[in-house]
């Protein structure tokens, strides 16, 4: 079986596909992944033994400017991504048996699959974009809903209108060019009535949260056996477990002066601090030996050896920290991140710092919750219930989707 997977988004949209690719290859499938041409993403897929087929602009070129992207930037990017999906995926899908899409509203992926007569699967890593009678839609570029509107049904209708404004003209123009009829509701067309949810059921429960027939597989985790760098091992061995602070691919969205704030908040608790450089460019604030800066590392191994993880609330980082049984402080910035912060607080495995501008005092207060002994106990308990077979579950479902049997043993 040959599987084409595609995404456009942050590392949190790419690494799960690498995890699924490992599971698929274990069952004998061939995998192709079309994703943004960022070097970091190519390296992640390389660990799974899958080459990256470039799709669209690099994410870093879009998000790492001095200011966050504007609404005009979003509309321009939407049109560009639709066009490159039709071009890139049509070529990449040659000889494939199924197309799986995820990431930023992958308009165009289902349409290429439709033209080629291939099964199509939409996967997501959280539930915020799924229409619901129980919650409001997230923010999108375009005409906002009225402040006094409280009817969730109307709010989701307005959300669909915003998606149409972003993608509709471009999508239907390309569909017409290949002989397909127009789509009236782009969002629901992309999502299908049966999307897959690649998130842990304990961290992100789906039952009763949407009207769609969600297939929840569990998170798609890429196994990581890379050793930690020698200098990091030396830092870890030189004292008590530090507080880890990282904001992943948040660049223009990272809190201002967060490195200094985090170091001082950690010191207020007598803790050393480990800063992850990341796209936010976190760096040491002085020459004291109680702070160390790391680049790309094995978080699965590292998180088991820290006192707490302070992060932006991406789905991947939240899941990795939860698996490690380490308390968390989530400082959400955009998109689904407030949701993950809320779940961390609800589960009692850490704190959500919802104020977008942390101070030394406010972050220190959140750390007090995370560093409390009872939070550590709760985090370790929750870790025992996190599913680790999500990628295997999804791989088997893909074989079923194309009517092929899964091999009994991996090879």
């Amino acid at each position: 079986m040959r599987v084409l997977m595609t995404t456009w988004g942050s590392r949190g949209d790419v690494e799960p596909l690498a995890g699924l690719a490992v599971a698929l290859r274990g069952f004998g499938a061939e995998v192709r992944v079309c994703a943004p041409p960022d070097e970091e993403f190519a390296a992640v897929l390389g660990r799974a033994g899958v080459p990256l087929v470039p799709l669209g602009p690099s994410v870093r070129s879009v998000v790492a400017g001095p200011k966050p992207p504007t609404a005009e930037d979003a509309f321009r990017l939407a049109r560009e991504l639709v066009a490159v999906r039709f071009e890139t995926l049509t070529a990449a899908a040659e000889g494939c048996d199924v197309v799986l899409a995820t990431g930023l509203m992958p308009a165009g992926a289902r349409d290429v699959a439709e033209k080629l007569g291939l099964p199509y699967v939409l996967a997501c890593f959280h539930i915020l974009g799924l229409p619901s009678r129980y919650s409001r839609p997230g923010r999108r570029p375009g005409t906002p809903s009225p402040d006094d509107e409280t009817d969730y049904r109307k709010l989701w209708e307005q959300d669909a209108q915003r998606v149409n404004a972003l993608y509709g003209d471009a999508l239907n123009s390309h569909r017409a060019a290949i002989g397909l009829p127009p789509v009236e509701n782009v969002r629901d067309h992309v999502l299908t009535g049966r999307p897959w949810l690649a998130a842990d059921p304990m961290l992100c429960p789906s039952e009763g949260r949407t009207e769609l027939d969600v297939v929840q597989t569990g998170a798609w985790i890429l196994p990581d056996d890379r050793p930690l760098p020698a200098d990091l091992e030396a830092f870890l061995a030189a004292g008590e477990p530090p507080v880890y602070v990282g904001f992943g691919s948040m660049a223009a969205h990272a809190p201002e002066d967060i490195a200094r704030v985090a170091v001082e908040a950690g010191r207020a608790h007598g803790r050393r601090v480990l800063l992850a450089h990341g796209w936010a460019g976190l760096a040491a604030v002085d020459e004291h030996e109680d702070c160390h800066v790391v680049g790309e590392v094995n978080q699965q191994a590292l998180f088991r050896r820290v006192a707490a993880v302070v992060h932006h609330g991406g789905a991947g980082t939240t899941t990795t920290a939860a698996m490690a049984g380490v308390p968390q402080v989530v400082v959400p910035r955009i998109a689904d991140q407030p949701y993950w912060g809320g779940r961390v607080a609800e589960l009692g495995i850490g704190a959500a710092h919802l104020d977008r501008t942390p101070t030394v005092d406010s972050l220190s207060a959140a750390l007090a919750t995370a560093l409390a002994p009872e939070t550590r106990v709760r985090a370790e308990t929750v870790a025992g219930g996190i599913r680790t077979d999500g990628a295997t579950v999804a791989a088997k479902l893909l074989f079923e989707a194309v009517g092929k049997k899964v091999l009994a043993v991996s090879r």
Side-chain angles (χ1 to χ4, degrees):
M1 184 174 77
R2 295 176 179 172
V3 180
L4 174 63
M5 299 191 288
T6 182
T7 189
W8 197 93
S10 69
R11 176 169 176 164
D13 295 300
V14 177
E15 186 161 330
L17 297 189
L20 179 54
V22 169
L24 284 165
R25 284 163 56 88
F27 289 126
E30 297 180 19
V31 182
R32 300 173 187 172
V33 176
C34 296
D38 295 81
E39 291 183 7
E40 178 183 349
F41 303 164
V44 169
L45 289 169
R47 284 167 44 205
V50 178
L52 183 153
V53 178
L55 184 143
S58 72
V59 174
R60 194 159 191 168
S61 70
V62 173
V63 304
K67 296 182 179 179
T70 65
E72 291 182 358
D73 295 331
F75 276 84
R76 183 166 51 250
L77 177 64
R79 293 190 296 269
E80 179 180 359
L81 289 178
V82 169
V84 299
R85 287 193 187 105
F86 274 87
E87 178 181 357
T88 304
L89 299 184
T90 298
E94 182 178 355
C96 289
D97 297 294
V98 62
V99 175
L100 182 147
T102 188
L104 180 65
M105 189 56 64
R110 179 178 182 177
D111 315 276
V112 169
E114 180 182 348
K115 181 64 177 179
L116 298 177
L118 301 177
Y120 163 82
V121 175
L122 184 283
C124 51
F125 306 121
H126 55 80
I127 60 174
L128 294 195
L130 305 182
S132 172
R133 291 176 294 177
Y134 312 104
S135 62
R136 302 172 64 94
R139 290 186 177 182
R140 295 189 198 272
T143 303
S145 297
D147 291 338
D148 59 352
E149 182 60 76
T150 58
D151 186 326
Y152 289 160
R153 181 182 57 82
K154 291 182 179 179
L155 288 170
W156 281 103
E157 289 175 355
Q158 292 159 3
D159 177 73
Q161 293 168 8
R162 284 189 285 272
V163 175
N164 280 347
L166 280 163
Y167 299 95
D169 288 347
L171 181 68
N172 285 325
S173 174
H174 283 86
R175 283 179 62 87
I178 59 175
L180 296 177
V183 169
E184 293 185 1
N185 185 321
V186 175
R187 184 197 64 199
D188 292 357
H189 170 74
V190 170
L191 292 178
T192 77
R194 200 165 190 256
W196 290 11
L197 176 59
D200 183 80
M202 184 182 301
L203 297 178
C204 182
S206 62
E207 187 174 351
R209 308 300 174 99
T210 176
E211 286 67 64
L212 301 183
D213 183 19
V214 174
V215 178
Q216 187 156 16
T217 64
W220 302 343
I221 299 163
L222 176 64
D224 197 342
D225 58 2
R226 293 174 297 164
L228 298 178
D231 61 337
L232 175 55
E233 284 282 8
F235 179 76
L236 292 170
E240 293 297 314
V243 170
Y244 170 96
V245 181
F247 283 80
S249 52
M250 296 293 99
H253 292 287
E256 185 176 354
D257 204 22
I258 185 58
R260 181 193 63 81
V261 169
V263 169
E264 293 188 17
R267 287 171 177 167
H269 289 276
R271 295 284 180 171
R272 301 182 302 156
V273 175
L274 190 58
L275 295 173
H277 185 264
W279 289 8
L282 303 191
V285 297
D286 53 39
E287 296 183 358
H288 293 182
E289 295 183 354
D290 63 350
C291 180
H292 186 76
V293 180
V294 296
E296 163 64 19
V297 295
N298 179 348
Q299 290 185 338
Q300 294 173 21
L302 175 59
F303 285 1
R304 292 194 293 267
R305 300 175 61 182
V306 301
V309 174
V310 179
H311 63 102
H312 57 296
T317 308
T318 303
T319 301
T320 302
M323 288 174 54
V326 60
Q328 310 179 43
V329 174
V330 177
V331 187
R333 315 308 298 162
I334 58 173
D336 57 316
Q337 295 166 10
Y339 170 81
W340 293 109
R343 288 299 297 153
V344 163
E346 289 167 11
L347 287 167
I349 60 175
H353 189 296
L354 299 181
D355 189 327
R356 291 180 53 83
T357 309
T359 65
V360 174
D361 288 343
S362 67
L363 189 56
S364 178
L367 273 174
T369 297
L371 294 172
E374 58 269 23
T375 306
R376 167 67 71 165
V377 171
R378 176 60 180 162
E380 292 174 348
T381 299
V382 168
I386 302 294
R387 293 186 58 170
T388 59
D389 64 344
T392 299
V393 171
K396 292 179 178 179
L397 287 172
L398 279 176
F399 273 85
E400 293 175 7
V402 297
K404 295 191 176 184
K405 293 182 180 180
V406 181
L407 297 181
V409 294
S410 61
R411 64 182 184 185

